[in-house]
Amino acid sequence: MKMILLRKFRVLILMVFLIACSMHIMIDLLPKLERHGSGGCSCSHTPSEEPQSWGKQGWPNKHTLRILQDFSNEPSSNVSSHSLERVPVAADKTQALRRLEHLGPRGDRKRQFLQDASAAKNMPLKGSRLSALFDHPLYKRSLPPLTDEDTLFNVNTDIRFDPKAAEDQAWNNEGTTDEFSPTGELTAASYPNWLRFHIGINRYELYSRHNPVIDALLKDLVTQKITSVAMKSGGTQLKLIMTFQNYGQALFKPMKQTREQETPPDFFYFSDFERHNAEIAAFHLDKILDFRRVPPVAGRLVNMTKEIRDVTQDKKLWRTFFISPANNVCFYGECSYYCSTEHALCGKPDQIEGSLAAFLPDLALAKRKTWRNPWRRSYHKRKKAEWEVDPDYCEEVKQTPPYDSGTRLLDIIDMTVFDFLMGNMDRHHYETFEKFGNETVIIHLDNGRGFGKHSHDERSILVPLTQCCRVRKSTHLRLQLLAKEEYKLSMLMAESLVRDRLSPILIQPHLDAMDRRLRLVLNVLSECIEKEGYSYVVEDDLQGYQGTDHAHSGPRRR
């Protein structure tokens, strides 16, 4: 009797195991079965229709992509993205160039006309504060003549497109003879705007002051059809890599807070939310300061159903979508912080705001070096960083390469002023392009933790300036200019931000806080000059460049 019961028990266990395996297989094959069982309708649905149509969307066809550019603020940021849409690791520069060749020019005259019209529309009006600012002599200083060593790409040799190599034959049919030079080669003007932005990067800036390509690229970020979406690996909060129809890519940060919300007082800086409007405002502030070290960023209202869920091939992302009790479409993805049902990102009903930051060239074409910020915070609840307890910390930094010569220390001061005006405490690393060595400006990436508190000025952000007492003359003069009533920083920011699709980007208290913080920066510089002398504190960079000598002689010693 016992043997019979034992056999029945074994059979029962085996049947349960087989049923469980079958269920797992069915769940894994469900997306494929859905794809074959429906026409892949991409029509819009109201949230009330979502529960019935959720399984009818299927998985989109995989797109041919460029190497995904890692846009991380982490130390591993010069490692290619590990998202599901990443190309194989074996892709070297030659393979990346071949992949770029598949792009081909679109030859869409209508689109080009719209971009030109947008650029004309976005030009500052006569009498505007921005127009007056950019007409000021401080904003008309020209760069030295650029050589091949000063530009990131040599258009004639580094990047070349051949429409006949494009996999998408529809692109070939759209080409016209107007896109070719008399020699039969493609002209740079026929390249997509994201590539023209990449070609314009040089040792001194990411883009020139009045480059019409930037306005066209900002329009592309808002209007280009999104063809693919994947979660970005690394980082603490959810970010999405979006690929457009013209093969451009951008980093999407979704809205997590309203404009009026401030960072809770009990939050540590390293657990603060990343704000999409901070990324947008940082781009405009960087441009007004004449740094031009932040890649173009634009705000966009995204349809979470049609432009994220229906086009993603990232199953982990797809499975986190759900309908909230309020009948809104929500998702939460996977990340270290705030990726749970309790912190889900919900649309109204399926529309969500976000910032789109244009990608820099992928690392197979233009390697970047990641540097630890000397004034990096401890990122610990109790420990303090060395610079917080050693008032002479800057003297040690000045004796350490690359801060012992060249302009790197002055670049850190520029970044310090930039961060203080935003209230950004999260600047642990920064990046430079390897091609330019140490004689190049640094790139201001990842500004999402700025503009968190308008009621508080975090003076510790200014420690590099208070300890080193150094600044470029051009930066000092521009700060003084922006403190004047006719060039008031808050008014300039308001005028610049109104052009963004998601305007208003900042509420008035944040704009007023920038004016207040600007006065604090100028007060610190005045104290430094009074203590150390003008010639020690202010580095004269307005005398022009002599030959290829980009740098000053090095940090002065007391």
Coordinates of all heavy atoms in Angstrom, one line a residue, residues 290-343:
D290 N 28.1 81.0 -22.2 CA 29.0 80.9 -23.3 C 30.0 79.8 -23.2 O 31.1 79.8 -23.7 CB 29.7 82.2 -23.5 CG 30.3 82.4 -25.0 OD1 29.6 81.9 -25.9 OD2 31.4 82.9 -25.1
F291 N 29.6 78.7 -22.4 CA 30.5 77.6 -22.3 C 30.3 76.6 -23.5 O 31.3 76.1 -24.0 CB 30.2 76.8 -21.0 CG 30.6 77.6 -19.7 CD1 29.9 77.3 -18.5 CD2 31.6 78.6 -19.7 CE1 30.3 78.0 -17.4 CE2 31.9 79.3 -18.6 CZ 31.2 79.0 -17.4
R292 N 29.1 76.3 -23.8 CA 28.7 75.4 -24.9 C 29.4 74.0 -24.7 O 30.0 73.5 -25.6 CB 29.1 76.0 -26.2 CG 28.4 77.4 -26.5 CD 28.7 77.9 -27.9 NE 30.1 78.1 -28.2 CZ 30.9 79.0 -27.7 NH1 30.4 79.9 -26.9 NH2 32.1 79.1 -28.0
R293 N 29.2 73.5 -23.5 CA 29.8 72.2 -23.1 C 28.7 71.2 -22.7 O 29.0 70.1 -22.3 CB 30.8 72.4 -22.0 CG 31.9 73.4 -22.3 CD 32.7 73.8 -21.1 NE 33.5 75.0 -21.4 CZ 34.2 75.7 -20.6 NH1 34.2 75.4 -19.3 NH2 34.9 76.8 -20.9
V294 N 27.4 71.6 -22.9 CA 26.3 70.6 -22.7 C 25.7 70.2 -24.0 O 25.4 71.1 -24.8 CB 25.2 71.3 -21.8 CG1 24.0 70.3 -21.7 CG2 25.8 71.6 -20.4
P295 N 25.6 68.9 -24.3 CA 25.0 68.5 -25.6 C 23.6 69.1 -25.7 O 22.9 69.2 -24.6 CB 25.0 67.0 -25.5 CG 26.1 66.7 -24.5 CD 26.1 67.8 -23.5
P296 N 23.0 69.3 -26.9 CA 21.7 69.8 -27.0 C 20.6 69.0 -26.3 O 20.6 67.8 -26.4 CB 21.5 69.9 -28.5 CG 22.9 70.0 -29.1 CD 23.7 69.2 -28.2
V297 N 19.7 69.7 -25.6 CA 18.6 69.0 -24.9 C 17.3 69.7 -25.2 O 17.3 70.9 -25.2 CB 18.9 69.0 -23.4 CG1 17.8 68.2 -22.7 CG2 20.2 68.5 -23.0
A298 N 16.3 68.9 -25.4 CA 14.9 69.5 -25.7 C 13.9 68.7 -24.9 O 14.1 67.5 -24.7 CB 14.6 69.5 -27.2
G299 N 12.8 69.4 -24.6 CA 11.7 68.7 -23.9 C 10.7 68.1 -25.0 O 10.5 68.7 -26.0
R300 N 10.1 67.0 -24.6 CA 9.2 66.4 -25.5 C 8.1 65.7 -24.8 O 8.3 65.1 -23.7 CB 9.9 65.3 -26.4 CG 9.0 64.6 -27.4 CD 9.9 63.8 -28.4 NE 9.0 63.0 -29.3 CZ 9.5 62.6 -30.5 NH1 10.7 62.8 -30.9 NH2 8.7 61.8 -31.3
L301 N 6.9 65.8 -25.3 CA 5.7 65.1 -24.8 C 5.6 63.7 -25.5 O 5.4 63.7 -26.7 CB 4.5 65.9 -24.9 CG 3.2 65.5 -24.1 CD1 3.5 65.6 -22.6 CD2 2.0 66.3 -24.5
V302 N 5.8 62.6 -24.8 CA 5.9 61.3 -25.4 C 4.7 60.5 -25.1 O 4.2 60.5 -24.0 CB 7.2 60.6 -24.9 CG1 7.2 59.1 -25.4 CG2 8.5 61.3 -25.3
N303 N 4.2 59.8 -26.1 CA 3.1 58.9 -26.0 C 3.7 57.6 -25.5 O 4.4 56.9 -26.2 CB 2.4 58.7 -27.3 CG 1.1 57.8 -27.1 OD1 1.2 56.7 -26.6 ND2 0.0 58.3 -27.6
M304 N 3.4 57.2 -24.2 CA 4.0 56.0 -23.6 C 3.6 54.7 -24.3 O 4.4 53.8 -24.3 CB 3.7 56.0 -22.1 CG 4.2 57.2 -21.3 SD 3.4 57.3 -19.7 CE 3.9 55.8 -18.9
T305 N 2.4 54.7 -24.9 CA 1.9 53.5 -25.6 C 2.6 53.3 -26.9 O 3.2 52.3 -27.2 CB 0.4 53.5 -25.7 OG1 -0.2 53.7 -24.4 CG2 -0.1 52.3 -26.4
K306 N 2.4 54.3 -27.8 CA 2.9 54.2 -29.2 C 4.4 54.4 -29.3 O 5.0 53.9 -30.2 CB 2.1 55.2 -30.0 CG 0.6 55.0 -30.1 CD -0.1 56.1 -30.9 CE 0.4 56.2 -32.3 NZ -0.4 57.2 -33.0
E307 N 5.0 55.3 -28.5 CA 6.4 55.7 -28.7 C 7.4 55.0 -27.7 O 8.6 55.2 -27.8 CB 6.5 57.2 -28.6 CG 5.7 57.9 -29.7 CD 5.9 59.4 -29.6 OE1 5.7 60.0 -28.5 OE2 6.3 60.0 -30.6
I308 N 6.9 54.2 -26.8 CA 7.8 53.5 -25.9 C 7.4 52.0 -25.9 O 8.1 51.2 -26.3 CB 7.7 54.1 -24.4 CG1 8.2 55.5 -24.4 CG2 8.6 53.2 -23.5 CD1 8.2 56.1 -23.0
R309 N 6.2 51.7 -25.4 CA 5.8 50.3 -25.2 C 5.8 49.5 -26.5 O 6.3 48.4 -26.7 CB 4.5 50.2 -24.5 CG 4.1 48.8 -24.0 CD 2.6 48.6 -23.9 NE 2.0 48.6 -25.2 CZ 0.7 48.7 -25.3 NH1 -0.1 48.9 -24.3 NH2 0.1 48.6 -26.6
D310 N 5.2 50.2 -27.6 CA 5.0 49.5 -28.8 C 6.2 49.3 -29.7 O 6.3 48.5 -30.6 CB 3.9 50.2 -29.7 CG 2.5 50.0 -29.0 OD1 2.4 49.3 -28.0 OD2 1.6 50.7 -29.6
V311 N 7.3 50.1 -29.4 CA 8.5 50.0 -30.2 C 9.7 49.4 -29.5 O 10.7 49.3 -30.1 CB 8.8 51.5 -30.7 CG1 7.7 52.0 -31.6 CG2 9.2 52.4 -29.6
T312 N 9.5 49.1 -28.2 CA 10.7 48.6 -27.5 C 10.8 47.1 -27.7 O 9.9 46.4 -27.9 CB 10.5 48.8 -26.0 OG1 11.8 48.4 -25.3 CG2 9.4 48.1 -25.4
Q313 N 12.1 46.7 -27.8 CA 12.4 45.3 -27.8 C 13.0 44.8 -26.5 O 13.4 43.6 -26.4 CB 13.4 45.0 -28.9 CG 12.9 45.4 -30.3 CD 13.9 45.2 -31.4 OE1 14.6 44.2 -31.4 NE2 14.1 46.2 -32.2
D314 N 13.0 45.7 -25.5 CA 13.5 45.4 -24.2 C 12.4 44.7 -23.4 O 11.4 45.4 -22.9 CB 14.0 46.7 -23.5 CG 14.8 46.4 -22.3 OD1 14.5 45.4 -21.6 OD2 15.6 47.3 -21.9
K315 N 12.4 43.4 -23.2 CA 11.3 42.7 -22.6 C 11.2 43.1 -21.1 O 10.1 43.2 -20.6 CB 11.6 41.2 -22.7 CG 11.4 40.6 -24.1 CD 11.6 39.1 -24.1 CE 11.5 38.6 -25.5 NZ 11.7 37.1 -25.5
K316 N 12.3 43.4 -20.5 CA 12.3 43.8 -19.1 C 11.5 45.1 -18.9 O 10.8 45.3 -17.9 CB 13.7 43.9 -18.5 CG 14.4 42.6 -18.4 CD 15.8 42.8 -17.8 CE 16.6 41.5 -17.7 NZ 17.9 41.7 -17.1
L317 N 11.7 46.0 -19.9 CA 11.0 47.3 -19.8 C 9.5 47.0 -20.2 O 8.6 47.6 -19.5 CB 11.6 48.3 -20.8 CG 10.8 49.6 -21.0 CD1 10.8 50.4 -19.8 CD2 11.5 50.4 -22.2
W318 N 9.2 46.2 -21.2 CA 7.9 46.0 -21.7 C 7.0 45.4 -20.6 O 5.8 45.7 -20.4 CB 7.9 45.1 -22.9 CG 6.7 44.9 -23.6 CD1 6.1 45.7 -24.6 CD2 5.7 43.8 -23.5 NE1 4.9 45.1 -25.0 CE2 4.7 44.0 -24.4 CE3 5.7 42.6 -22.6 CZ2 3.6 43.1 -24.5 CZ3 4.7 41.7 -22.7 CH2 3.6 42.0 -23.6
R319 N 7.6 44.5 -19.8 CA 6.8 43.8 -18.8 C 6.4 44.7 -17.6 O 5.6 44.3 -16.7 CB 7.6 42.6 -18.3 CG 7.6 41.5 -19.3 CD 8.6 40.4 -18.9 NE 8.6 39.3 -19.9 CZ 9.5 38.3 -20.0 NH1 10.5 38.3 -19.1 NH2 9.4 37.4 -20.9
T320 N 7.0 45.9 -17.5 CA 6.7 46.7 -16.3 C 5.6 47.7 -16.6 O 5.2 48.5 -15.7 CB 7.9 47.5 -15.9 OG1 8.3 48.5 -16.9 CG2 9.1 46.6 -15.5
F321 N 5.0 47.7 -17.8 CA 3.8 48.5 -18.1 C 2.6 48.0 -17.4 O 2.4 46.7 -17.4 CB 3.6 48.6 -19.6 CG 4.5 49.6 -20.3 CD1 5.8 49.3 -20.6 CD2 4.0 50.9 -20.6 CE1 6.6 50.3 -21.3 CE2 4.8 51.8 -21.2 CZ 6.1 51.5 -21.5
F322 N 1.7 48.9 -17.0 CA 0.5 48.5 -16.4 C -0.5 49.7 -16.4 O -0.1 50.8 -16.8 CB 0.6 48.0 -15.0 CG 1.1 49.0 -14.0 CD1 0.2 49.8 -13.2 CD2 2.5 49.2 -13.8 CE1 0.7 50.7 -12.3 CE2 2.9 50.2 -12.9 CZ 2.0 50.9 -12.2
I323 N -1.8 49.4 -16.1 CA -2.8 50.4 -16.1 C -3.1 50.7 -14.6 O -3.4 49.8 -13.8 CB -4.1 50.0 -16.8 CG1 -3.8 49.6 -18.2 CG2 -5.2 51.0 -16.7 CD1 -3.4 50.8 -19.1
S324 N -3.0 52.0 -14.2 CA -3.2 52.4 -12.8 C -4.7 52.4 -12.5 O -5.5 52.3 -13.4 CB -2.6 53.7 -12.6 OG -3.4 54.7 -13.2
P325 N -5.0 52.4 -11.2 CA -6.4 52.5 -10.8 C -7.1 53.8 -11.4 O -8.3 53.8 -11.5 CB -6.3 52.6 -9.3 CG -5.1 51.9 -8.9 CD -4.1 52.2 -10.0
A326 N -6.3 54.8 -11.7 CA -6.9 56.0 -12.3 C -7.0 55.9 -13.8 O -7.3 56.9 -14.5 CB -6.0 57.2 -11.9
N327 N -6.7 54.7 -14.3 CA -6.9 54.4 -15.7 C -5.8 55.1 -16.6 O -6.0 55.4 -17.7 CB -8.3 54.8 -16.3 CG -8.7 53.8 -17.4 OD1 -8.3 52.7 -17.4 ND2 -9.5 54.3 -18.3
N328 N -4.6 55.3 -16.0 CA -3.5 55.9 -16.7 C -2.5 54.8 -17.0 O -2.3 53.8 -16.3 CB -2.8 57.0 -15.9 CG -3.7 58.2 -15.7 OD1 -4.4 58.6 -16.6 ND2 -3.6 58.8 -14.5
V329 N -1.8 55.0 -18.1 CA -0.7 54.0 -18.5 C 0.5 54.3 -17.7 O 1.0 55.5 -17.6 CB -0.3 54.1 -20.0 CG1 0.8 53.2 -20.4 CG2 -1.6 53.8 -20.8
C330 N 1.1 53.3 -17.1 CA 2.3 53.5 -16.2 C 3.4 52.4 -16.5 O 3.1 51.4 -17.1 CB 1.9 53.3 -14.7 SG 0.6 54.4 -14.2
F331 N 4.6 52.7 -16.1 CA 5.7 51.8 -16.2 C 6.8 52.2 -15.2 O 6.8 53.3 -14.8 CB 6.3 51.6 -17.6 CG 7.1 52.8 -18.1 CD1 8.5 52.7 -18.0 CD2 6.6 54.0 -18.5 CE1 9.3 53.7 -18.4 CE2 7.4 55.0 -18.9 CZ 8.8 54.9 -18.9
Y332 N 7.7 51.3 -14.9 CA 8.7 51.6 -13.9 C 10.1 51.1 -14.3 O 11.1 51.6 -13.8 CB 8.4 51.2 -12.5 CG 8.0 49.7 -12.4 CD1 8.9 48.7 -12.2 CD2 6.6 49.3 -12.5 CE1 8.6 47.4 -12.1 CE2 6.3 48.0 -12.4 CZ 7.2 47.0 -12.2 OH 6.9 45.7 -12.1
G333 N 10.2 50.2 -15.2 CA 11.6 49.7 -15.7 C 12.4 49.1 -14.5 O 11.9 48.6 -13.5
E334 N 13.7 49.1 -14.8 CA 14.6 48.5 -13.8 C 15.8 49.5 -13.5 O 16.4 50.0 -14.5 CB 15.2 47.2 -14.3 CG 14.2 46.1 -14.3 CD 14.8 44.7 -14.6 OE1 16.1 44.7 -14.9 OE2 14.1 43.7 -14.6
C335 N 16.1 49.8 -12.3 CA 17.2 50.7 -11.9 C 17.4 50.5 -10.4 O 16.7 49.8 -9.7 CB 16.9 52.1 -12.2 SG 15.4 52.8 -11.4
S336 N 18.4 51.2 -9.9 CA 18.8 51.1 -8.5 C 17.8 51.8 -7.5 O 17.4 51.3 -6.5 CB 20.2 51.7 -8.2 OG 21.1 51.1 -9.0
Y337 N 17.3 53.0 -7.9 CA 16.4 53.8 -7.1 C 15.1 54.0 -7.9 O 15.1 54.2 -9.1 CB 16.9 55.1 -6.7 CG 18.2 55.1 -5.8 CD1 19.0 56.2 -5.8 CD2 18.5 54.0 -5.0 CE1 20.1 56.2 -5.0 CE2 19.6 54.0 -4.2 CZ 20.4 55.1 -4.2 OH 21.5 55.1 -3.4
Y338 N 14.0 54.0 -7.1 CA 12.7 54.5 -7.7 C 12.2 53.7 -8.9 O 11.5 54.3 -9.8 CB 12.8 56.0 -8.0 CG 13.4 56.8 -6.9 CD1 14.5 57.6 -7.1 CD2 12.8 56.8 -5.6 CE1 15.0 58.4 -6.1 CE2 13.4 57.5 -4.6 CZ 14.5 58.3 -4.8 OH 15.0 59.1 -3.8
C339 N 12.5 52.5 -9.0 CA 12.0 51.6 -10.1 C 11.1 50.5 -9.4 O 11.6 49.4 -9.3 CB 13.1 51.0 -10.9 SG 13.8 52.2 -12.1
S340 N 9.9 50.9 -9.1 CA 9.0 50.0 -8.5 C 7.6 50.5 -8.8 O 7.4 51.6 -9.2 CB 9.2 49.9 -7.0 OG 8.9 51.1 -6.3
T341 N 6.6 49.6 -8.5 CA 5.2 50.0 -8.7 C 4.9 51.3 -7.9 O 4.1 52.1 -8.4 CB 4.2 48.9 -8.3 OG1 4.7 47.7 -8.9 CG2 2.8 49.2 -8.6
E342 N 5.4 51.4 -6.7 CA 5.2 52.6 -5.9 C 5.7 53.9 -6.5 O 5.3 55.0 -6.2 CB 5.7 52.4 -4.5 CG 5.1 51.3 -3.7 CD 5.5 49.9 -4.1 OE1 6.6 49.8 -4.8 OE2 4.8 48.9 -3.8
H343 N 6.8 53.7 -7.3 CA 7.4 54.9 -7.9 C 7.2 54.9 -9.4 O 8.1 55.4 -10.1 CB 8.9 55.0 -7.5 CG 9.2 55.1 -6.1 ND1 9.5 54.1 -5.3 CD2 9.2 56.2 -5.3 CE1 9.7 54.5 -4.0 NE2 9.5 55.8 -4.0

